[in-house]
């Protein structure tokens, strides 16, 4: 079955330090996309970064990078130099084409950044 | 300029009522989605439409009826509301051209509370 697993329900990080949020996925598809979204307490879903299944280089967007290990089926999000505003829920997601583009989400990781 | 907008932002109603949530996107995307986020923050896809046609229907009760008058709009009508329908409903849109790069953009969400 296709699924996304985020094993860390909650994490703490000290301001200015780096943090890694784990995500593993399970699929037999060859073509898929992996995405990370941030949901602050205000509730909106903010797109952060994506990685295509055929991309050989790890994706980076500013302070966000995606550590993609295809053989291990993992797509961890690394946030460098954490800021207080990074405190939020983070969702890992996978998009597959099942005759239509379908996204499945992990359960999320709540990140707390300490001053 | 709001990319994906939803109205209303909050909806409080009695069990048994019928209500609608509207969604509009001005991104020129072909595909729109409805997601439900439950009280445990779990996000699940409900429907997707591509160019006004239903593509994905994830075993949602038929009390939920999406309607897409054009590709920029996807409304959600819910009949005979039940307590379990209380959740945050997110609309999203994407180009849906290539699965590995298909970034979805989310609306602000509609918090539905059924009393």
């Amino acid at each position: 079955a296709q699924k996304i697993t985020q094993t860390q329900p909650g994490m703490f990080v000290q301001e200015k330090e780096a943090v890694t949020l784990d995500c593993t996925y399970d699929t037999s598809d060859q073509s898929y996309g992996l995405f990370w979204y941030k949901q602050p307490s205000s509730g909106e879903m903010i797109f952060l970064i994506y990685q295509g299944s055929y991309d050989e280089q790890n994706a980076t967007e500013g302070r966000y990078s995606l550590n993609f290990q295809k053989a291990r089926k993992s797509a961890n999000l690394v946030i460098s130099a954490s800021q207080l505003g990074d405190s939020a829920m983070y969702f890992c997601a996978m998009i597959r084409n099942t005759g239509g583009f379908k996204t499945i989400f992990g359960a999320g990781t709540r990140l707390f950044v300490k001053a | 300029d709001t990319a994906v907008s939803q109205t209303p932002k909050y909806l409080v109603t009695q069990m048994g009522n019928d209500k609608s949530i509207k969604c509009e996107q001005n991104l020129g995307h072909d595909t729109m989605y409805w997601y439900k986020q439950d009280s445990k923050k779990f996000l699940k896809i409900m429907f997707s439409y591509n160019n006004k046609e239903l593509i994905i229907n994830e075993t949602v009760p038929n009390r939920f009826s999406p309607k897409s008058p054009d590709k920029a709009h996807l409304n959600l009508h819910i009949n005979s509301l039940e307590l379990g329908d209380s959740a945050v409903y997110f609309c999203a849109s994407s180009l849906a051209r290539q699965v590995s790069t298909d970034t979805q953009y989310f609306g602000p969400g509609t918090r539905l509370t059924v009393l």
Side-chain angles (χ1 to χ4, degrees):
Chain A
Q2 326 288 330
K3 68 177 189 177
I4 294 277
T5 304
Q6 294 180 252
T7 56
Q8 306 150 315
M11 287 201 62
F12 286 88
V13 65
Q14 196 67 40
E15 196 179 9
K16 299 180 186 172
E17 290 185 352
V19 63
T20 298
L21 306 184
D22 294 341
C23 174
T24 57
Y25 61 94
D26 189 14
T27 183
S28 53
D29 293 357
Q30 295 300 309
S31 183
Y32 51 88
L34 297 158
F35 295 75
W36 278 91
Y37 287 87
K38 173 184 178 181
Q39 187 175 42
S41 56
S42 50
E44 70 267 35
M45 291 287 289
I46 302 167
F47 163 72
L48 294 178
I49 194 168
Y50 81 83
Q51 180 89 37
S53 56
Y54 296 116
D55 295 341
E56 294 185 354
Q57 301 260 23
N58 285 343
T60 60
E61 286 284 349
R63 294 186 299 112
Y64 304 109
S65 59
L66 202 154
N67 185 355
F68 181 45
Q69 298 189 36
K70 194 169 182 177
R72 292 186 178 182
K73 292 189 175 176
S74 76
N76 299 339
L77 176 71
V78 181
I79 306 175
S80 62
S82 298
Q83 301 172 357
L84 295 178
D86 294 335
S87 295
M89 278 288 280
Y90 289 81
F91 292 96
C92 180
M94 176 172 66
I95 295 186
R96 309 167 54 227
N97 190 347
T98 62
F101 285 18
K102 180 177 171 183
T103 305
I104 53 175
F105 284 84
T109 295
R110 186 170 292 280
L111 178 66
F112 300 91
V113 180
K114 299 183 290 185
Chain B
D1 288 344
T2 306
V4 183
S5 59
Q6 291 178 233
T7 54
K9 192 163 170 61
Y10 299 96
L11 189 50
V12 181
T13 188
Q14 300 278 353
M15 224 167 36
N17 283 351
D18 304 338
K19 290 292 177 188
S20 292
I21 308 171
K22 295 186 176 181
C23 178
E24 176 180 0
Q25 54 97 3
N26 62 7
L27 296 167
H29 288 165
D30 292 332
T31 302
M32 296 183 73
Y33 311 81
W34 277 109
Y35 289 88
K36 179 180 180 180
Q37 187 174 40
D38 63 23
S39 57
K40 295 183 179 175
K41 299 292 188 184
F42 188 65
L43 262 163
K44 193 170 188 318
I45 189 167
M46 300 172 69
F47 302 101
S48 78
Y49 269 70
N50 181 275
N51 220 350
K52 303 191 294 176
E53 285 192 35
L54 179 66
I55 302 295
I56 290 175
N57 180 340
E58 282 291 296
T59 60
V60 178
N62 57 16
R63 297 183 297 102
F64 290 78
S65 52
K67 284 195 170 47
S68 183
D70 55 61
K71 73 175 194 178
H73 295 83
L74 180 62
N75 304 323
L76 184 65
H77 187 77
I78 315 170
N79 288 328
S80 303
L81 279 155
E82 300 177 357
L83 293 176
D85 298 332
S86 295
V88 179
Y89 292 84
F90 284 99
C91 177
S93 73
S94 73
L95 274 173
R97 300 280 164 80
Q98 188 173 342
V99 71
S100 60
T101 62
D102 191 55
T103 301
Q104 294 187 16
Y105 294 90
F106 283 77
T110 295
R111 183 176 292 278
L112 171 65
T113 303
V114 182
L115 303 174

